[in-house]
Amino acid sequence: DAGITQSPRHKVTETGTPVTLRCHQTENHRYMYWYRQDPGHGLRLIHYSYGVKDTDKGEVSDGYSVSRSKTEDFLLTLESATSSQTSVYFCAVRQGAAETQYFGPGTRLLVL
Amino acid sequence: GIQVEQSPPDLILQEGANSTLRCNFSDSVNNLQWFHQNPWGQLINLFYIPSGTKQNGRLSATTVATERYSLLYISSSQTTDSGVYFCAILGSGTALIFGKGTTLSVSS
């Protein structure tokens, strides 16, 4: 499982509130990713990081920000949650020269 | 960008049956992965297979990169094989581009 944990695993929040999701890895992987999974869309990349304090946007980055102050932690923040951000959020790491990605257990977020 | 199409979208099998899932992609790739998402939502790596054939127990995969497709074979299916199977390609940059998946239901 590449030593990935996500917290919280489930969250219910209200529109307009800030939300932070945490991804923690224990194997010193340089690359980390946040994806969201929605019915009919599969998994889509939100943001990724290629090192401490080095991040870049993915396909669906609007409304999200990220931070990586330590190798092991990659945080995803919804500054002001909207109902369209109700989704399942997966963190992933890249392992090995083959760029194989391994996924965490996911966080289910419901924005009311 | 690269398009990834999977077929069939849904598959219903009796336990013990064999199946073939297909992934077509629109451009040349050097990174292709197959995942299984179980009914609890966990994404499990099955194969990293940019070309050639690999086998792992009852599962095997073949990618023909020059013809832009990959196949996942499941033999003697079990109820625990149920879930969604995704093919994913590394696009430009570092993001995986996922197909929409094949939903497999295996009944006893």
Side-chain angles (χ1 to χ4, degrees):
Chain A
D1 64 358
I4 306 167
T5 57
Q6 293 185 231
S7 59
R9 295 292 314 281
H10 304 270
K11 186 170 182 66
V12 180
T13 191
E14 294 186 348
T15 298
T17 60
V19 175
T20 295
L21 308 182
R22 180 184 184 232
C23 177
H24 179 78
Q25 53 117 345
T26 59
E27 298 183 1
N28 206 34
H29 298 292
R30 178 184 173 194
Y31 281 80
M32 298 183 74
Y33 306 81
W34 278 108
Y35 290 85
R36 61 178 287 175
Q37 184 178 25
D38 304 290
H41 290 280
L43 281 90
R44 294 177 292 173
L45 182 70
I46 305 171
H47 281 279
Y48 70 97
S49 170
Y50 48 97
V52 173
K53 297 187 178 167
D54 292 323
T55 65
D56 206 349
K57 296 179 180 181
E59 177 187 355
V60 291
S61 60
D62 287 348
Y64 301 94
S65 62
V66 290
S67 65
R68 192 165 177 204
S69 58
K70 298 184 289 185
T71 298
E72 58 265 36
D73 289 326
F74 191 31
L75 304 180
L76 177 71
T77 297
L78 292 65
E79 301 289 349
S80 177
T82 67
S83 58
S84 65
Q85 293 175 312
T86 291
S87 188
V88 181
Y89 292 85
F90 286 96
C91 174
V93 299
R94 192 174 91 182
Q95 184 168 308
E99 303 184 358
T100 308
Q101 292 190 19
Y102 290 84
F103 286 78
T107 294
R108 291 185 176 274
L109 176 66
L110 175 61
V111 183
L112 300 175
Chain B
I2 296 176
Q3 304 295 315
V4 181
E5 295 184 355
Q6 293 186 242
S7 60
D10 300 284
L11 192 55
I12 300 174
L13 299 175
Q14 287 285 334
E15 207 167 23
N18 302 327
S19 60
T20 301
L21 284 59
R22 187 176 180 102
C23 172
N24 291 332
F25 42 95
S26 60
D27 205 346
S28 58
V29 298
N30 55 14
N31 182 316
L32 187 149
Q33 294 183 236
W34 281 98
F35 295 89
H36 174 216
Q37 187 168 38
N38 64 23
W40 295 270
Q42 185 180 6
L43 279 161
I44 300 164
N45 290 62
L46 297 177
F47 295 102
Y48 167 76
I49 186 163
S51 64
T53 297
K54 289 186 178 179
Q55 181 156 7
N56 184 3
R58 296 181 296 103
L59 274 61
S60 64
T62 295
T63 297
V64 183
T66 54
E67 297 187 20
R68 300 180 184 172
Y69 73 88
S70 183
L71 302 174
L72 178 69
Y73 305 96
I74 305 174
S75 64
S76 303
S77 58
Q78 302 176 357
T79 56
T80 53
D81 295 330
S82 296
V84 184
Y85 289 81
F86 289 103
C87 165
I89 308 291
L90 190 68
S92 59
T94 186
L96 283 177
I97 299 170
F98 283 77
K100 295 191 175 177
T102 292
T103 300
L104 175 64
S105 298
V106 182
S107 58
S108 57

